[in-house]
Amino acid sequence: MREILGRRRKFSLRRGARSPQLRAALTCATEWQWPVLPGIGLRPGGGRMRVCGCPDPDCAVPGGHPFDPVLLAATTDPRMVRWWWTNRPGAPLLLATGGTAPCALSLPAVAGARALAAFDRAGVRLGPVVATPTRWSLLVAPYSLEELGELLNRQDWVPSSLRFHGEGGYLVLPPSQTGLGRVRWERAPQRRRGRPWLPEVATVVDALVEASSSAPDGGSRLAY
């Protein structure tokens, strides 16, 4: 019996070691010192549907949010990372934003494509950009709520579709799969020693506000 259990355990470890999510999570945690944790993931629904693993049947971010463990459990400990993704090889990869970790700004995909084109034309250097079928997220250097508030207070309008992932927030990273689609790198992190380079939030916020305001799915404009 011990022999059988041992073989099963070895098989589980080998399966986890092949998981793209595990490899990505270890890169984030050990090479970049980004705290990560697994998302809840998806479960089979009716027919071919796949729904969020949480109890909420109307979950707005199916599969792509913390549940168990909770967000505060995010870590850079490789032992914990290996344990999580060995047991759940397909779990989405979540970055706990803020603190010393990257923050992010996200906007509708059409607005994100427009903003990146504008940055490229202006010669603005960007960091990693995460893309899903509906939204793009630009990773930036950590910012405080006070700093962000000052920047937004200078804007006449702040579109409701522009979202901010700072302290106490999270972002789904590639190569995750959620109910909203596949998560990929539109701009991959630069492969260098240490952490990937990140721009300051002040460098990008004006262009993202403008792109979100003019996008067809930009959402309503709110006075800040």
Side-chain angles (χ1 to χ4, degrees):
M1 178 62 73
R2 285 184 180 176
E3 217 173 293
I4 293 172
L5 290 175
R7 285 200 299 270
R8 286 180 178 172
R9 178 63 177 167
K10 287 179 182 177
F11 174 77
S12 175
L13 287 171
R14 287 197 300 270
R15 180 184 63 180
R18 290 196 298 267
S19 164
Q21 285 89 333
L22 173 57
R23 292 195 295 271
L26 285 171
T27 296
C28 290
T30 61
E31 295 184 26
W32 302 342
Q33 290 297 294
W34 292 359
V36 297
L37 75 161
I40 187 166
L42 301 169
R43 59 182 172 82
R48 295 184 178 181
M49 289 180 58
R50 290 178 63 79
V51 298
C52 188
C54 76
D56 183 1
D58 300 315
C59 182
V61 283
H65 65 87
F67 187 72
D68 182 16
V70 297
L71 183 61
L72 289 176
T75 184
T76 59
D77 185 345
R79 295 168 299 178
M80 195 72 244
V81 169
R82 286 192 182 94
W83 189 86
W84 278 333
W85 273 278
T86 294
N87 286 279
R88 297 176 54 208
L93 170 59
L94 305 187
L95 164 69
T97 55
T100 60
C103 293
L105 291 83
S106 67
L107 65 170
V110 64
R114 179 178 297 147
L116 261 63
F119 285 130
D120 289 343
R121 287 194 300 270
V124 176
R125 183 185 180 192
L126 295 177
V129 179
V130 175
T132 73
T134 57
R135 296 188 69 81
W136 287 15
S137 304
L138 282 72
L139 272 65
V140 296
Y143 56 71
S144 66
L145 289 178
E146 293 76 15
E147 178 186 5
L148 180 63
E150 289 179 5
L151 292 170
L152 296 182
N153 195 45
R154 301 172 190 170
Q155 307 292 330
D156 294 330
W157 300 93
V158 178
S160 61
S161 61
L162 184 59
R163 299 172 190 166
F164 308 93
H165 308 260
E167 184 73 32
Y170 65 91
L171 186 69
V172 186
L173 296 182
S176 304
Q177 178 77 31
T178 74
L180 301 179
R182 183 173 65 91
V183 184
R184 61 179 178 82
W185 292 113
E186 176 65 24
R187 299 281 174 91
Q190 296 181 0
R191 300 290 180 176
R192 295 179 179 176
R193 289 187 178 182
R195 297 183 176 187
W197 181 86
L198 300 168
E200 297 295 327
V201 64
T203 305
V204 302
V205 69
D206 289 349
L208 296 186
V209 167
E210 182 179 352
S212 297
S213 300
S214 58
D217 55 348
S220 60
R221 296 184 179 185
L222 303 178
Y224 183 77

